[in-house]
Amino acid sequence: MKEPLLQASELSRYFGTEVAVNNVSFTIHKGEVLGFLGPNGAGKSTTMRMLSGNLAPDNGQIIINGVDLLDHPKQAKAHIGYLPETPPLYKELTVAEFLQFCARLNAIDKQHQKAAIDSAIERCGLTNVSNRLIGNLSKGFQQRVGIAQAIIHSPAVVILDEPTSGLDPIQIREIRQLIRDIANEHSVILSTHILPEVQMLCDRVQIISHGQLMFNDSIDALSQKMQASSLLLAFEQPMLAEKMRHIPGIENIDTLSDYRFRVHYHPDTNPTQSLLQLAVNNAWQLSMLMPEQHSLEDVFMKIIQNEDTDA
Amino acid sequence: MLNIARNELHRLFLSPLAWVILAMTQLLLAYLFLTHIDYFNSVQSQISAIPGAPGVTEMIAIPLLNNAAIIILLISPLLTMRIIAEERRNETLSLLSSAPMSIRQIVLGKYFGTLSFFMLLALLTLLMPVSLHVGSTLDLFQLGAAMLGLTLLIASFTAIGLYISSLTKQPAIAAVSTFAILFFLWIIDWAGNSNEGFSVLSWLSLLNHFQPMTQGLVNTQDVSFYLTVIVTFILLTIRRLDRERLD
């Protein structure tokens, strides 16, 4: 088993008596993109701030690249690049000046500074604006500067807190492309409340709600969850639900209209074949047979709601 | 640390505020300088006969540095207010705190960055009396002692302002509180003066420890008073920012 790059165990954080993050543990391996998903106020940003060393956890341990963040913050922080929700930019500096400052801040050698700055500028597509004041740039470009700041010292882990919030759709697409490029060289932890974004960018998903980790698995496992156990049927002629009920595996049939039905079946026995066979044999004029897929939203809501009913 | 100090100074000079403050202070002090010269000219003939009469240093240079102390007391809150409060309001503090450096380095960097601006201001002021050296003789030792006093005084102002700035998110609140505290520490000895001998109130006064130095009297007691103030407030700032991660 490979040593994880970042390991967080039993993180908890209270604000007063309010629990913001409760006993959250997870790991991230080299080259992975981890998506942190949750509604607003779920504890995403709090977790991110703890990982970046901006907030001390009340309980738990964070180990980055074998260095304990709480015991040796200086060494551990050298392995992290962090972009908070609001990009921390000095608006009165130009892009190049700002990145120069960041390079020095992260203690990059004098000889390597220029190369580091140039590569960050190039990778984030800032070449044309490098001499402009940050305050005059659009939100999308400011976000890019924020990302450039996070990757300038080639950290092992890049932590991005809602990197696409507040951008227009084109900028969102560009930023996502940028994140995908970054993921080729760094491990990325990404927080967002936009589900398709996670599907598009991440290898692994964690869903957090009310400070609790609800789901922690690969994106494939999430897709599995999205496989619903229902079929949508439509016929050319009126049908009776009774005629299909005896097919093995079928648990329940919703009659949507005389022509349309929703068939719920047991996940282990898919009745599609037998249904087709029956339709051909009896000359039911089947016009549509569609496996239903839950959207990510449905799964998400289900995961979150499960917890609510359990509680 | 040096990097933060340099950045602090660099950003200061990108804003018009720094330039305006420098220009206006120079203007005010230049005017005061001229009035001191004028006054000295008018009384020179009368006092020149008296043995041990006050010379150029005592009549012009020292009053000017006294004036500079008061002016810097008035303007320092305007510059120190932004040191940390503004970073906090613009949410740029996390840039520094997630960089591989300790809070101590951040605070010291910011402190020395701002302090060097004030030192520049003080040095520019010092040039005026030093220019008199061309045509007359200055008591360089007295002037040096006074300058040391001014430096320590400014360093104390900056340390107090730094701490107040770390307490709040609103630069304006930091400015008003810093000004109130500095002003209070200035006038506190007015009450103290009414008593004879040693008084806690006059001992607390920042300017009171400055006076002996303007007379060329460098006292370890006064120097250590300033150093205590500076170190205390810097340590308080570090503690304050350290605690921020905890709550």
Side-chain angles (χ1 to χ4, degrees):
Chain A
M1 176 90 187
K2 225 173 22 169
E3 186 76 0
L5 207 51
L6 184 148
Q7 185 173 16
S9 37
E10 294 168 10
L11 286 185
S12 292
R13 174 74 210 193
Y14 301 85
F15 289 116
T17 53
E18 197 93 349
V19 187
V21 172
N22 190 2
N23 210 6
V24 167
S25 307
F26 58 90
T27 56
I28 179 165
H29 293 272
K30 204 167 160 40
E32 232 177 0
V33 182
L34 176 66
F36 241 89
L37 199 59
N40 288 331
K44 295 189 302 272
S45 291
T46 309
T47 313
M48 300 276 149
R49 284 175 63 201
M50 286 196 284
L51 292 181
S52 64
N54 276 290
L55 197 67
D58 288 327
N59 189 20
Q61 193 182 34
I62 301 168
I63 294 174
I64 297 162
N65 230 351
V67 187
D68 192 306
L69 178 67
L70 302 172
D71 291 346
H72 307 281
K74 252 164 113 171
Q75 288 96 311
K77 280 177 185 172
H79 299 297
I80 321 176
Y82 173 52
L83 172 67
E85 227 171 323
T86 330
L89 306 171
Y90 294 120
K91 304 226 153 91
E92 62 270 37
L93 298 183
T94 68
V95 175
E97 280 172 339
F98 176 72
L99 290 177
Q100 167 100 48
F101 171 63
C102 295
R104 290 207 198 106
L105 205 56
N106 285 299
I108 300 177
D109 294 342
K110 266 230 161 66
Q111 309 95 285
H112 300 126
Q113 268 178 21
K114 181 111 184 35
I117 296 165
D118 288 346
S119 104
I121 285 181
E122 201 207 299
R123 285 171 70 189
C124 296
L126 293 164
T127 317
N128 290 330
V129 296
S130 64
N131 287 320
R132 284 179 58 187
L133 291 182
I134 293 174
N136 294 343
L137 296 178
S138 70
K139 185 106 203 306
F141 270 107
Q142 290 189 358
Q143 197 75 25
R144 279 159 186 258
V145 179
I147 294 177
Q149 163 270 125
I151 62 169
I152 194 160
H153 53 299
S154 327
V157 186
V158 180
I159 300 171
L160 306 172
D161 198 352
E162 305 209 358
T164 57
S165 69
L167 302 181
D168 73 33
I170 299 170
Q171 291 173 332
I172 288 182
R173 251 198 9 225
E174 290 169 354
I175 295 288
R176 282 183 190 157
Q177 183 60 48
L178 179 57
I179 294 173
R180 222 168 297 158
D181 292 343
I182 290 171
N184 292 333
E185 287 178 42
H186 312 267
S187 297
V188 177
I189 301 179
L190 178 90
S191 92
T192 179
H193 55 259
I194 306 165
L195 297 152
E197 196 161 283
V198 168
Q199 241 175 344
M200 241 179 279
L201 294 172
C202 301
D203 306 316
R204 217 146 52 78
V205 194
Q206 299 197 328
I207 294 179
I208 189 167
S209 170
H210 299 300
Q212 302 250 2
L213 207 55
M214 321 285 310
F215 179 87
N216 179 5
D217 218 327
S218 66
I219 196 87
D220 294 332
L222 188 68
S223 308
Q224 283 273 300
K225 270 210 168 212
M226 288 165 58
Q227 286 293 329
S229 45
S230 63
L231 297 170
L232 209 58
L233 298 178
F235 298 93
E236 291 287 307
Q237 67 201 32
M239 265 290 289
L240 281 174
E242 303 308 319
K243 292 185 184 172
M244 295 180 281
R245 208 170 287 269
H246 65 276
I247 300 174
I250 288 187
E251 285 182 332
N252 198 6
I253 299 175
D254 293 339
T255 309
L256 302 174
S257 72
D258 282 349
Y259 302 94
R260 292 167 67 87
F261 300 89
R262 177 175 287 122
V263 176
H264 298 274
Y265 59 87
H266 197 265
D268 298 334
T269 50
N270 193 329
T272 313
Q273 282 308 319
S274 7
L275 231 163
L276 272 176
Q277 198 68 45
L278 210 64
V280 172
N281 290 348
N282 297 339
W284 299 337
Q285 292 171 358
L286 189 63
S287 64
M288 183 179 82
L289 189 150
M290 196 172 71
E292 267 192 318
Q293 216 189 27
H294 285 312
S295 68
L296 203 43
E297 266 83 1
D298 293 334
V299 179
F300 184 53
M301 291 312 291
K302 222 157 75 187
I303 290 171
I304 289 176
Q305 270 159 11
N306 271 346
E307 172 66 13
D308 286 348
T309 48
D310 288 352
Chain B
M1 191 180 99
L2 268 181
N3 178 33
I4 291 189
R6 178 157 55 174
N7 180 54
E8 196 70 14
L9 201 58
H10 177 60
R11 281 177 47 231
L12 251 176
F13 278 107
L14 285 177
S15 71
L17 183 69
W19 295 103
V20 170
I21 286 180
L22 275 183
M24 291 303 155
T25 323
Q26 286 303 301
L27 207 67
L28 274 176
L29 287 172
Y31 177 75
L32 287 167
F33 180 55
L34 289 180
T35 47
H36 289 315
I37 291 185
D38 227 27
Y39 178 69
F40 181 72
N41 256 341
S42 65
V43 298
Q44 193 189 16
S45 53
Q46 296 158 30
I47 60 170
S48 57
I50 312 167
V56 179
T57 316
E58 274 158 306
M59 293 286 289
I60 300 174
I62 299 306
L64 186 73
L65 289 187
N66 264 323
N67 294 334
I70 302 299
I71 289 180
I72 291 178
L73 185 148
L74 295 178
I75 59 162
S76 65
L78 291 176
L79 282 173
T80 56
M81 68 176 184
R82 34 171 299 292
I83 305 180
I84 290 168
E86 198 177 69
E87 297 246 1
R88 192 174 282 149
R89 202 180 50 174
N90 295 339
E91 301 183 41
T92 49
L93 210 53
S94 55
L95 178 73
L96 305 178
S97 53
S98 48
M101 50 173 44
S102 60
I103 298 276
R104 195 177 44 135
Q105 286 170 307
I106 297 173
V107 170
L108 284 179
K110 287 190 153 289
Y111 176 71
F112 285 116
T114 313
L115 184 59
S116 31
F117 174 82
F118 286 122
M119 286 320 296
L120 184 70
L121 187 65
L123 284 175
L124 283 175
T125 312
L126 186 66
L127 283 181
M128 291 186 224
V130 165
S131 71
L132 292 179
H133 202 52
V134 178
S136 77
T137 11
L138 283 174
D139 183 347
L140 287 181
F141 290 104
Q142 190 184 358
L143 196 59
M147 196 56 200
L148 174 70
L150 187 64
T151 307
L152 287 170
L153 192 65
I154 294 173
S156 312
F157 290 166
T158 314
I160 294 172
L162 174 77
Y163 174 60
I164 304 290
S165 178
S166 77
L167 293 178
T168 168
K169 207 174 183 173
Q170 308 288 343
I173 294 179
V176 172
S177 331
T178 308
F179 177 72
I181 289 174
L182 292 184
F183 193 71
F184 183 67
L185 285 178
W186 175 30
I187 60 168
I188 193 170
D189 70 319
W190 292 1
N193 268 351
S194 55
N195 308 327
E196 283 299 307
F198 180 80
S199 138
V200 179
L201 288 182
S202 70
W203 182 79
L204 273 177
S205 166
L206 280 172
L207 289 186
N208 212 24
H209 291 270
F210 177 51
Q211 292 315 326
M213 290 202 217
T214 60
Q215 283 145 28
L217 201 66
V218 179
N219 210 323
T220 34
Q221 208 187 357
D222 297 328
V223 174
S224 45
F225 170 80
Y226 284 123
L227 290 180
T228 313
V229 169
I230 295 166
V231 171
T232 307
F233 280 98
I234 289 181
L235 282 179
L236 280 173
T237 313
I238 294 173
R239 279 202 63 103
R240 162 74 209 175
L241 286 184
D242 245 342
R243 245 193 51 210
E244 198 139 297
R245 295 188 308 133
L246 300 174
D247 55 22

